[in-house]
Amino acid sequence: MSRFIAALLAVASCASIAHAQSSEPASPSPPLTLERALALAGATAPSLEAATAGVRAAEAGRTVAGYRPNPSIVAETENIAGSGQYRGLRSAETTAGLALPIELGGKRSARIAVAEAIGNRARIGTALAEADLRLAVTQLYIQAAAAERRLVTAREQAGIAREALRAAGVRVQAGRASPLEQQRADVLRINAETAVERAQRLAEVARDNLARRIGQPVTGPLDLAWYDRVEGFGPARPIEPGGTLALAAARADATTAEAQVRLARSQRIPDVTLSASARRLEATNDVAAVFGVSIPFPVFNNGKAAIAQARAQSDQAQALRRAAELDAAQDIANAQAEVANAATSARNASGPVLASAAEAARIARIGYREGKFGQLDLLDAERTLSETRTAAIDALATYHDAKARLERLVAAAPSPEENNQ
């Protein structure tokens, strides 16, 4: 009779565990998807605000670069406050007019070229900020989803541990096991409940980090279906890094440096200042025209050092561009391999491996309740299942992280039409 009661309790506990694992409570709010989190983060990201301000500054700099030098008002009075006939203002000569600087050597066009190159680089910087923000938010979302999955797993393991303790108590009461098994099962229950508390705290921290990035609390569920999904990833196709953001930024830096060389060369040619004035002679009350030309004499600074500096900076930018091409190609190839390996590991860990571990644990539970397996066999199967679940969660997190980093590496640069907007 006692064996019949034990078997009945075991079947009931098994059914309750299966129902708890297969059914999840319905949430009144839709899950927060990754795309929604990205949209919310983009609306409040300080990095995007800074990048946008940089574009506005570059556009204003382009306007300033197109301005010509302002004319100057020239006014002077001579032959006053002297002695003799120059005492007072009797012999004063007052001159008033305008002086107009004339830029030579293509300085204005060179300034405009530098300003346009800086503006193009600022717009690429905005695209870089958007790509970096997308990667950061995606990684935080992955961490939050993984923490949520670990919490679900910890709760399921705690439920299994409580049912194992109950089954052990039934076996002890029926005289089919020693009290040691019940004590061991109770220790496992305590450890499982402690793991739930740790997983709960980590999940809350992960949600808080994501909430700070998107600018609002994360109270609803996450899109765990997206987290559990592993897309097919076939043989890696070579990806040319030429159109990526990293190389676009390096090229823009090189273009800006080359424009700086042209500007430095134009600065070597002195500007001419033309002046036209009217002079009034106090003694005779006559008026005469005065014309003048002013040309700087480059004795101390002839501009050679500025050209050498700009040329060295241009050589540096060109070298960094070539290095960026090599690094981008290598990083993309490595990232593709990481995504492929992570996809394989995630599919195996969350597919056949997890199914086998779950089946082994199920058989061990039934065998333990029926007295066919010992408690050590049950504990070994449960530990294997717990480790396999954790490995599956980690493999999925690694896969999504590798995929996000690959997408960041191959992010396309804005088109010239977009840069000119």
Side-chain angles (χ1 to χ4, degrees), residues 46-47 55 57 65 117 144 169-170 217 233 258 278 283 311 360 374 378 384:
S47 59
V55 172
V170 171
F233 196 90
E258 190 62 30
R311 175 53 62 188
L378 174 62
T384 301

Side-chain angles (χ1 to χ4, degrees), residues 228-386:
D228 295 335
R229 186 167 56 250
V230 179
E231 298 178 358
F233 196 90
R237 294 181 295 102
I239 298 177
E240 291 296 331
T244 60
L245 278 173
L247 286 191
R251 291 195 186 100
D253 291 336
T255 301
T256 303
E258 190 62 30
Q260 293 285 1
V261 173
R262 178 186 170 189
L263 179 60
R265 287 174 177 169
S266 68
Q267 298 292 340
R268 290 199 65 190
I269 302 176
D271 295 335
V272 175
T273 301
L274 304 178
S275 61
S277 306
R279 176 171 295 179
R280 179 180 178 275
L281 289 78
E282 186 71 23
T284 61
N285 199 27
D286 293 328
V287 177
V290 178
F291 297 97
V293 177
S294 176
I295 302 176
F297 187 37
V299 177
F300 302 107
N301 181 11
N302 58 10
K304 288 184 178 180
I307 293 177
Q309 179 186 15
R311 175 53 62 188
Q313 292 174 344
S314 177
D315 293 341
Q316 180 186 33
Q318 292 291 348
L320 291 176
R321 177 188 60 80
R322 293 191 296 271
E325 291 178 354
L326 297 175
D327 292 341
Q330 178 178 339
D331 293 342
I332 290 174
N334 291 337
Q336 284 183 305
E338 290 178 6
V339 171
N341 292 336
T344 301
S345 299
R347 278 194 296 267
N348 291 336
S350 59
V353 175
L354 182 59
S356 298
E359 180 64 16
R362 186 187 69 83
I363 295 174
R365 294 186 203 113
I366 297 175
Y368 174 71
R369 287 190 292 265
E370 295 179 353
K372 296 179 179 180
F373 297 141
Q375 190 182 40
L376 295 179
D377 296 327
L378 174 62
L379 296 180
D380 183 68
E382 295 291 2
R383 182 175 61 254
T384 301
L385 176 59
S386 177

Side-chain angles (χ1 to χ4, degrees), residues 18-27 149 152 156 221-222 224-225 228:
H19 177 73
Q21 295 180 1
S22 61
S23 62
E24 294 183 357
S27 176
R149 268 284 173 245
V152 172
E156 291 177 353
L222 300 177
L224 297 183
D228 295 335

Side-chain angles (χ1 to χ4, degrees), residues 32 36 40 44 207 210-219:
L32 175 66
R36 176 60 178 165
L40 292 173
T44 60
R207 280 176 170 263
L210 179 61
R212 276 189 288 269
R213 180 67 73 167
I214 66 176
Q216 71 176 36
V218 182
T219 56

Side-chain angles (χ1 to χ4, degrees), residues 30-309:
L32 175 66
T33 64
L34 175 59
E35 292 302 323
R36 176 60 178 165
L38 291 171
L40 292 173
T44 60
S47 59
L48 294 186
E49 293 180 6
T52 303
V55 172
R56 294 199 306 270
E59 291 174 351
R62 167 61 179 82
T63 302
V64 172
Y67 290 149
R68 300 183 184 277
N70 290 320
S72 301
I73 297 177
V74 180
E76 61 180 14
T77 299
E78 302 177 5
N79 302 331
I80 62 172
S83 60
Q85 64 175 344
Y86 300 109
R87 185 184 304 275
L89 300 175
R90 290 177 299 175
S91 300
E93 296 180 2
T94 302
T95 304
L98 293 175
L100 179 63
I102 304 298
E103 288 186 313
L104 302 177
K107 294 182 178 64
R108 179 171 175 271
S109 61
R111 286 198 310 271
I112 292 175
V114 172
E116 288 178 346
I118 293 175
N120 180 54
R121 180 61 177 84
R123 283 182 282 272
I124 293 175
T126 301
L128 283 169
E130 292 174 353
D132 291 338
L133 176 65
R134 184 178 183 86
L135 175 61
V137 174
T138 301
Q139 289 178 330
L140 288 175
Y141 191 91
I142 293 169
Q143 294 172 7
E148 198 78 9
R149 268 284 173 245
R150 293 188 182 97
L151 177 59
V152 172
T153 299
R155 287 171 175 169
E156 291 177 353
Q157 292 298 127
I160 292 173
R162 286 191 292 268
E163 295 301 331
L165 174 62
R166 185 180 304 175
V170 171
R171 286 170 55 91
V172 170
Q173 291 179 1
R176 298 167 56 193
S178 66
L180 180 61
E181 289 191 6
Q182 187 174 6
Q183 294 296 326
R184 189 184 291 123
D186 192 31
V187 171
L188 294 177
R189 177 192 61 81
I190 295 173
N191 291 336
E193 292 177 351
T194 302
V196 171
E197 295 179 3
R198 290 197 301 265
Q200 179 69 42
R201 283 190 289 268
L202 293 176
E204 291 174 356
V205 171
R207 280 176 170 263
D208 290 342
N209 292 336
L210 179 61
R212 276 189 288 269
R213 180 67 73 167
I214 66 176
Q216 71 176 36
V218 182
T219 56
L222 300 177
D223 189 3
L224 297 183
W226 169 86
Y227 182 80
D228 295 335
R229 186 167 56 250
V230 179
E231 298 178 358
F233 196 90
R237 294 181 295 102
I239 298 177
E240 291 296 331
T244 60
L245 278 173
L247 286 191
R251 291 195 186 100
D253 291 336
T255 301
T256 303
E258 190 62 30
Q260 293 285 1
V261 173
R262 178 186 170 189
L263 179 60
R265 287 174 177 169
S266 68
Q267 298 292 340
R268 290 199 65 190
I269 302 176
D271 295 335
V272 175
T273 301
L274 304 178
S275 61
S277 306
R279 176 171 295 179
R280 179 180 178 275
L281 289 78
E282 186 71 23
T284 61
N285 199 27
D286 293 328
V287 177
V290 178
F291 297 97
V293 177
S294 176
I295 302 176
F297 187 37
V299 177
F300 302 107
N301 181 11
N302 58 10
K304 288 184 178 180
I307 293 177
Q309 179 186 15

